Amino acid sequence: ACAGAALALGAIAGPAAADGARLDAAWADATGEVDGLVDASDLAAINVIGYHAAVSKLCDGFALDVDEIAAATDALIADAPADATPETLLARQAEILIAVGTAHGLFLAEGSQRLESFCEEAIATRDDPDYDDHWQ
């Protein structure tokens, strides 16, 4: 979802394109914050959680399934290396929760810039039978 949102932002002209460039930089910074802490699949899961939460705030008819979001977040936190120390586990938990909040905020910003197409894309995502969404 992150890549699709970034590509769509690149197509916007004028001042919104400048905003998109700032969001691209923000996404890069956010990804850099969790480098080495999570793998690519964990990062994708973080973005999925943030995306679903943002859609539920911005688009009508998307109630967030809080139990599914909690389970997905718990799974990320639990997916720590077997040799992790208690301090490492606590740091991982904090960083993942911050990353989820950051992804949520970035998706809110992107969605707010292009609300109609953002919500249309969310409808298509929800209606795709092969996509396991976190909405009720």
Side-chain angles (χ1 to χ4, degrees), residues 36-88:
L37 180 66
V38 298
D39 62 22
S41 66
D42 288 342
L43 184 57
I46 287 168
N47 288 339
V48 166
I49 293 166
Y51 172 74
H52 280 80
V55 167
S56 72
K57 295 286 186 201
L58 294 174
C59 305
D60 292 333
F62 287 87
L64 193 62
D65 188 325
V66 176
D67 291 337
E68 282 190 30
I69 290 294
T73 305
D74 288 346
L76 280 168
I77 292 168
D79 188 28
D83 62 348
T85 65
E87 294 80 15
T88 303

Side-chain angles (χ1 to χ4, degrees), residues 9 41 44 73 77 89-90 128 132:
L9 281 172
S41 66
T73 305
I77 292 168
L89 292 173
L90 188 58
D128 181 346
D132 182 23

